[in-house]
Amino acid sequence: MINFQSFHGRVTMIEDFFVQSNGEQLGCYKLMSVQNRYGSLVKFVISPDTYFVNHVMVKIGDIVTGFYDANAPTPMIFPPQFRAIVMAKNTPYQKVKVGYFNRQLVSSDNKLKLNISQSTRIILKNDQTFTKNPANHNLIVVYGFTTMSIPAQTTPYKIIVMC
């Protein structure tokens, strides 16, 4: 099971990150440096499989949240370098949560419960409609306001199912 963690901050650098495959250097990867308000720095490896919420283009100066698997092996270097699974650019009135949601649509950290409405778009990463129940899946949830309860409840704008 993926242990989704996140890091939130301002993009300070984006550069090519070369990965060798069969002796060839592939230019399909980027290394994105993100610094939070406390000065901590993380480098995200952006691969062709990294999902960008709303398919936005990220540039230096943007505020983003990178989601990664805390259980995945990482090199013992400073600053830490994580393989980004999902990247979300800050957007007013929009929050993003990535994680596993159980059959009651409660996140594995018990911080968010989803109340799906007819207006909630439920799609796959390739933007095709997901026709089953999104429960018991890893989800990318795009939402706005929440209740003050524990867990907080929301009616999401969009749910992306990560099959």
Side-chain angles (χ1 to χ4, degrees), residues 115-123 142 155-159:
N115 299 316
I116 298 175
S117 76
Q118 289 183 347
S119 64
T120 302
R121 286 188 61 214
I122 305 174
I123 59 174
V142 181
T155 302
Y157 305 136
K158 179 168 50 174
I159 297 172

Side-chain angles (χ1 to χ4, degrees), residues 41-98:
L41 183 68
V42 163
K43 291 191 175 193
F44 285 109
V45 176
I46 307 298
S47 77
D49 294 329
T50 301
Y51 183 82
F52 281 78
V53 175
N54 298 326
H55 305 289
V56 297
M57 182 71 68
V58 173
K59 62 187 184 316
I60 293 172
D62 287 342
I63 297 177
V64 298
T65 302
F67 297 89
Y68 61 94
D69 181 359
N71 292 338
T74 56
M76 295 295 288
I77 59 174
F78 184 81
Q81 186 172 294
F82 302 117
R83 184 181 153 269
I85 298 171
V86 176
M87 294 298 292
K89 183 176 174 180
N90 251 33
T91 305
Y93 310 110
Q94 176 180 296
K95 298 174 191 158
V96 176
K97 171 108 176 141
V98 178

